[in-house]
Each structure stands twice: as C-alpha cells, then as structure tokens.
Amino acid sequence: MSQRTKTKSFTLIELLIVIAILGILIVASASVFVFFQKRSQLNNDTEKIINILRLAQSKTLACEDLSRYGVYFDANASPQQYILFKGDNFAGRDLNFDKTYNLSSEVEFYDIDLSGGSEAVSYTHLRAHETSLHLVCRLLLE
C-alpha cells in the first residue's frame, strides 16, 4: 500500500483573508497619514501668520523707514491670503511695499475678529495698537 504524506500549506480562503486584512490596514493607515499631513500644513500656515505678525511689529518698533507696519487678512480672496503692508492702515498703505502670502489650499480663515471691525492689525512705534486679535484657521475637509 502506498502511504500518503501530508504537506502543510495554506488554503486559498486563508490567503484571501490575509490579503483582505492587509488591504484594510493599508487603507486605514493611508487615511491617518493624509490627516496628519493636512494637520501639519495647518500648523505650518499658523506659524507663518504668527511670524508675519511679529515681523510687522518688529519693523514698526525698529522704526524701519520711519513707518508703521501691519497685516491685513483677506478671507474673500481665492486662495485666502494675508498681506504685510506699510502704512498707518490698510487703506492708506504704500502699495509698492505689499507682500502677499497665500494660505495653503487645505486651510482657511474660519473666524477673524479684530476690535474696531477691521480686518487688519497695525502697530505703533511704542506698542501694539489697541487691537485684540482673534483669528481661527481650520482644515478644509474634502
């Protein structure tokens, strides 16, 4: 009589289950990666805005060109942007100096609340203008 030897192997169903589980894990990790990438972009844009506000304040306090400087937030532009300007206010600014910075496509100004109803922060030579700044940026979900 012939003797059959048993070989150990995986069945087709076991292989399909393993492939399905791996597929689910890959899709889940990809969505988490995209979220963290967008979150990183939000943090980068926030840091850029803070740095431009500090730059406007520094230029004013240093009396650069004997001028005042400020930052204007334009939520109506596409893409949304903020502008470093030279002048007492945004309406009376030196147009040749304007430096425009765009927000990334994943980020938007959600809430801009400056005292006085303006959308600009300007500084005086001795201290920040009597302006309180409340600016909220958020991620756009697609």
Side-chain angles (χ1 to χ4, degrees):
M1 286 201 189
S2 70
Q3 193 175 23
R4 287 189 177 183
T5 59
K6 286 192 174 184
T7 58
K8 294 185 179 185
S9 62
F10 296 107
T11 65
L12 181 60
I13 298 223
E14 290 171 330
L15 287 175
L16 290 176
I17 289 172
V18 168
I19 291 172
I21 290 172
L22 287 174
I24 291 170
L25 289 174
I26 289 171
V27 168
S29 63
S31 64
V32 169
F33 175 74
V34 168
F35 172 76
F36 282 119
Q37 188 177 19
K38 286 185 176 186
R39 181 69 180 212
S40 175
Q41 189 61 52
L42 175 63
N43 290 338
N44 287 341
D45 281 358
T46 302
E47 284 297 319
K48 288 178 186 176
I49 291 169
I50 291 168
N51 288 334
I52 295 302
L53 286 166
R54 287 182 180 148
L55 178 63
Q57 184 181 32
S58 296
K59 285 178 172 283
T60 300
L61 292 176
C63 297
E64 189 172 304
D65 297 331
L66 299 174
S67 294
R68 292 172 54 186
Y69 293 84
V71 179
Y72 175 77
F73 300 97
D74 191 355
N76 298 320
S78 182
Q80 292 183 344
Q81 58 192 12
Y82 50 102
I83 302 166
L84 176 64
F85 66 88
K86 176 180 170 183
D88 291 338
N89 55 44
F90 187 70
R93 71 192 187 279
D94 179 358
L95 294 173
N96 296 322
F97 178 81
D98 284 1
K99 293 184 181 169
T100 303
Y101 303 89
N102 293 327
L103 286 179
S104 64
S105 59
E106 294 89 16
V107 178
E108 73 174 352
F109 293 128
Y110 176 67
D111 185 20
I112 301 174
D113 183 19
L114 304 174
S115 65
S118 173
E119 291 181 338
V121 175
S122 61
Y123 296 92
T124 65
H125 293 292
L126 299 178
R127 67 191 193 308
H129 230 198
E130 298 300 323
T131 302
S132 65
L133 170 64
H134 175 80
L135 176 65
V136 178
C137 296
R138 70 176 178 183
L139 284 174
L140 294 174
L141 300 176
E142 296 177 28

